[in-house]
Amino acid sequence: MLNPSEYEAWYQTARGSWIAGREFDLMRRLLDAPDGATLLDVGCGTGHFSRRFAAAGLRVAGLDPDPAMLGHARGLGGGVSYLLGTGTELSFGDNAYDYVTAVTSLCFIADPERALREMWRVARRAVLLGLLNRRSLLYRQKCDRGAYRGARWDTSVEVRRWARRLEPAPRPRVTARSAIFMPGGGAFARAAEAVLPGVLPWGAFLAVVLRKPEHS
């Protein structure tokens, strides 16, 4: 079980802060959510990205199955409501939130398609997934090691396959971008990140938005 304090402390390191900032900037651009929209952050952990979405003007609820993570998240404030629950059984009605996100949490859910169906059901406008990218340098370096042990690494091709099975029709409009091409976080990595376009599929962080056609 992850230690919440240690988990959150990583975001305060130079590398962690840079990586999280790049990831959030990518997600915010892709989601393109208006101020005041509601968002459910599934598998929020200590609430790092939940708080960032809230600071960006959204009304956010964070959901996680770990009471210790939620307790730590609540202690950090940030204007987020936190709820205990799992991504595969969301206790909300259809279209309950404008947006639903899952930032690297889907990677630790054994049945990602079931979780995506639930998130799709609950979302009124779009679902955003932040995934560990199997087509990345980080995968070669860290697969099944350390904090990544037990994580699943996905590709946009797999997400598009999941999307084709979502109901009801019509199918979602899917947009995928990636970031963190060189995960070391040093000067060269940051310089490369500034010029490499997100349409390249090799970044360690894969952000995929599935948008409902009526809100495309």
Side-chain angles (χ1 to χ4, degrees):
M1 190 68 69
L2 292 174
N3 180 288
S5 297
E6 293 177 0
Y7 181 87
E8 184 63 29
W10 180 81
Y11 290 109
Q12 310 310 316
T13 65
R15 178 172 175 266
S17 177
W18 174 73
I19 288 175
R22 293 293 300 177
E23 292 173 345
F24 181 72
D25 287 346
L26 175 59
M27 290 189 291
R28 183 175 57 179
R29 290 196 306 271
L30 276 183
L31 202 58
D32 192 25
D35 286 353
T38 57
L39 182 145
L40 176 68
D41 188 18
V42 175
C44 64
T46 57
H48 179 84
F49 289 106
S50 304
R51 293 190 298 277
R52 294 186 85 142
F53 280 118
L58 304 183
R59 292 181 289 151
V60 181
L63 181 136
D64 201 89
D66 186 343
M69 285 285 189
L70 290 179
H72 193 86
R74 291 187 181 105
L76 294 173
V80 178
S81 300
Y82 290 105
L83 308 165
L84 185 68
T86 65
T88 53
E89 295 182 9
L90 297 177
S91 57
F92 310 102
D94 296 355
N95 305 314
Y97 290 86
D98 292 317
Y99 301 95
V100 179
T101 59
V103 186
T104 67
S105 56
L106 196 68
C107 308
F108 294 94
I109 294 178
D111 190 345
E113 288 194 69
R114 179 178 174 181
L116 181 57
R117 285 195 300 270
E118 277 290 273
M119 289 187 280
W120 186 248
R121 177 184 65 78
V122 169
R124 186 167 70 90
R125 293 177 176 270
V127 171
L128 183 146
L129 306 176
L131 304 169
L132 295 174
N133 187 5
R134 196 163 67 242
R135 299 178 68 183
S136 67
L137 176 62
L138 185 68
Y139 172 76
R140 296 177 180 274
Q141 294 176 339
K142 298 291 187 178
C143 179
D144 214 25
R145 300 177 187 174
Y148 298 94
R149 189 173 302 278
R152 189 186 60 258
W153 299 70
D154 297 307
T155 68
S156 61
V157 173
E158 288 161 333
V159 178
R160 292 178 189 277
R161 185 174 67 247
W162 301 340
R164 289 195 293 269
R165 297 171 184 159
L166 290 173
E167 296 180 352
R171 295 173 183 169
R173 180 167 65 87
V174 180
T175 304
R177 297 289 186 270
S178 72
I180 317 301
F181 295 94
M182 297 181 181
F188 181 73
R190 298 184 187 212
E193 193 78 18
V195 297
L196 292 172
V199 293
L200 294 176
W202 308 307
F205 183 76
L206 178 65
V208 186
V209 171
L210 299 89
R211 203 171 298 276
K212 298 206 171 182
E214 61 268 31
H215 294 287
S216 296

